[in-house]
Amino acid sequence: MAYRILVVDDEIEVVNMLQSFLMRSGYQVSCALEGAEAVSKAKEQPDLILLDIGMPQMDGIEVCREIRDTVTCPILFLTARNQDMDKVEGFAAGGDDYIVKPFSLAELGARIEAHLRRDRRSKEIQRKVFGDITVDYSAREVSVRGEKIHFNRKEFDIIQLLSLNRGQTFDRGKIYDRVWGLEGDGDDAVIMEHIRKIRLKFSNAGCEPCIETVWGIGYKWIG
């Protein structure tokens, strides 16, 4: 069965180009030209969303925040912005990748394939228990003493990477590459903010720290 992709952009020429390219690549495609329509169509649970940031009324960041709690698929931002703070904001909202316009369709296709492949693999894994913490990889859920804790997609992806490789230290660049996709730039601010939020949520649940900082190197799971 073909993967279903939702394309969201306020420029009809871009939408038509992407729709044509994706359909030729064997995907099923639905489209939205503005934020509210994107929120509505995201309820159909596509397998991946291509989401333009610079839309009027409701921009892509707002759309991502609105749908992220109910949509678990990869969200790839399409944007003309290329500032570090824009990337931090996009990833913090729950985005999975950041593709700057103008972009190569070949590169876009490769990124889509990589995210879909990673998403499929993550759903094939079962669950592990680390003391009071249970990580259900197939359901993408984390609980402490039976109480579920909400983590956004990227926070869970970091937990998954570290917990499946317990005791192994990952530097920030490697976490960025493994979690965010192809040839990530290892943005320290993005990784540090996500680790901070993960630790805070575990702490608020009364849980001992499970991610240790290995100074000068990176992070490892010690739960």
Side-chain angles (χ1 to χ4, degrees):
M1 184 176 179
Y3 286 109
R4 296 168 296 114
I5 297 180
L6 172 60
V7 176
V8 185
D9 199 301
D10 63 323
E11 297 183 46
I12 187 63
E13 296 85 0
V14 173
V15 169
N16 289 340
M17 174 191 68
L18 291 175
Q19 183 179 36
S20 177
F21 168 72
L22 293 170
M23 291 179 68
R24 289 197 309 271
S25 300
Y27 298 110
Q28 294 181 11
V29 184
S30 59
C31 305
L33 294 173
E34 48 88 25
E37 183 183 10
V39 171
S40 177
K41 290 195 173 182
K43 295 176 182 177
E44 299 172 6
Q45 296 296 323
D47 297 302
L48 183 141
I49 299 174
L50 296 177
L51 178 59
D52 180 45
I53 288 183
M55 297 184 294
Q57 284 88 47
M58 187 179 194
D59 68 18
I61 300 293
E62 294 176 276
V63 171
C64 190
R65 290 194 183 112
E66 180 75 17
I67 67 176
R68 191 30 110 191
D69 284 344
T70 57
V71 173
T72 62
C73 74
I75 296 177
L76 282 61
F77 284 120
L78 305 177
T79 179
R81 304 175 188 175
N82 194 27
Q83 299 299 314
D84 286 345
M85 285 309 301
D86 292 328
K87 292 183 179 181
V88 171
E89 184 180 18
F91 290 137
D96 295 278
D97 207 345
Y98 201 97
I99 303 171
V100 179
K101 298 178 179 177
F103 49 80
S104 156
L105 288 177
E107 178 187 359
L108 176 64
R111 287 180 180 266
I112 288 172
E113 290 177 11
H115 281 285
L116 289 173
R117 185 168 57 248
R118 187 178 302 111
D119 192 56
R120 183 176 65 251
R121 283 201 306 266
S122 70
K123 292 176 180 176
E124 294 171 351
I125 304 169
Q126 298 304 308
R127 70 176 188 169
K128 287 190 174 184
V129 178
F130 306 92
D132 292 334
I133 301 172
T134 299
V135 183
D136 189 327
Y137 302 102
S138 57
R140 296 182 63 82
E141 293 178 348
V142 179
S143 59
V144 174
R145 293 181 292 277
E147 294 293 324
K148 291 181 183 178
I149 305 176
H150 172 72
F151 291 98
N152 68 32
R153 181 180 179 82
K154 282 305 170 197
E155 291 166 356
F156 183 87
D157 286 345
I158 292 172
I159 291 171
Q160 176 172 279
L161 171 65
L162 297 180
S163 65
L164 286 176
N165 297 277
R166 184 179 183 181
Q168 180 179 344
T169 301
F170 289 83
D171 63 34
R172 297 187 186 103
K174 181 62 69 175
I175 293 173
Y176 196 98
D177 289 348
R178 295 281 292 273
V179 171
W180 270 268
L182 301 176
E183 299 179 356
D185 60 11
D187 193 298
D188 285 0
V190 170
I191 302 302
M192 291 171 68
E193 178 64 11
H194 279 72
I195 295 290
R196 183 190 70 80
K197 289 182 177 179
I198 291 169
R199 285 171 166 165
L200 179 61
K201 290 178 181 180
F202 276 125
S203 176
N204 289 341
C207 186
E208 292 294 322
C210 52
I211 298 178
E212 180 180 90
T213 299
V214 181
W215 295 107
I217 303 176
Y219 304 97
K220 67 179 180 180
W221 184 271
I222 59 170

